Amino acid sequence: MIKIIKDKDGFYQFILKSGNGQVLLKSIPFNSENETDKTIRDIKSLKKSNGKFFERRTNTDGKFLVELKNSTGKIVGASGFYSSEAGMENGILNIKNSLEE
């Protein structure tokens, strides 16, 4: 499920949630709802690209996270931290499945 929110500063952001309501990914802030919608459509069109739009990262504490890129390679969102690489890979599968809903 994808939910669009408007923050107190007037920026828009989308939040990608799993079927049970867990937050899988939060987007960067966008200036308009239209720009947010365009980005959502763009990433949904990429869901069949074998995950090439996911950037896997590890922070200095050894935690894993996923950054989501659009079709131009710009990072448009990031997951929370995972304690294991397997957890991160499972998170990617959940993100892909949520994009199909």
Side-chain angles (χ1 to χ4, degrees):
M1 174 177 80
I2 298 176
K3 181 178 180 179
I4 297 175
I5 60 169
K6 185 176 182 181
D7 70 17
K8 62 181 167 86
D9 296 322
F11 292 103
Y12 292 85
Q13 184 177 33
F14 66 86
I15 298 172
L16 183 61
K17 293 184 177 185
S18 66
N20 66 4
Q22 179 182 3
V23 174
L24 300 171
L25 183 131
K26 290 183 180 179
S27 77
I28 61 171
F30 295 97
N31 292 321
S32 69
E33 191 169 6
N34 186 43
E35 184 182 6
T36 309
D37 286 334
K38 283 182 182 179
T39 301
I40 291 168
R41 284 192 305 275
D42 182 47
I43 61 170
K44 281 186 168 191
S45 72
L46 294 172
K47 68 181 175 242
K48 296 179 183 174
S49 69
N50 297 321
K52 294 179 183 175
F53 58 104
F54 290 108
E55 180 90 15
R56 293 157 173 86
R57 300 260 186 214
T58 308
N59 74 0
T60 56
D61 295 327
K63 300 283 184 183
F64 300 88
L65 73 141
V66 177
E67 293 177 328
L68 179 65
K69 294 180 177 183
N70 66 10
S71 60
T72 65
K74 179 183 175 189
I75 294 171
V76 295
S79 71
F81 290 105
Y82 296 94
S83 58
S84 70
E85 189 171 0
M88 175 184 64
E89 293 301 327
N90 189 50
I92 290 171
L93 288 175
N94 287 330
I95 291 168
K96 284 181 181 180
N97 290 338
S98 293
L99 286 172
E100 292 175 4
E101 295 176 353

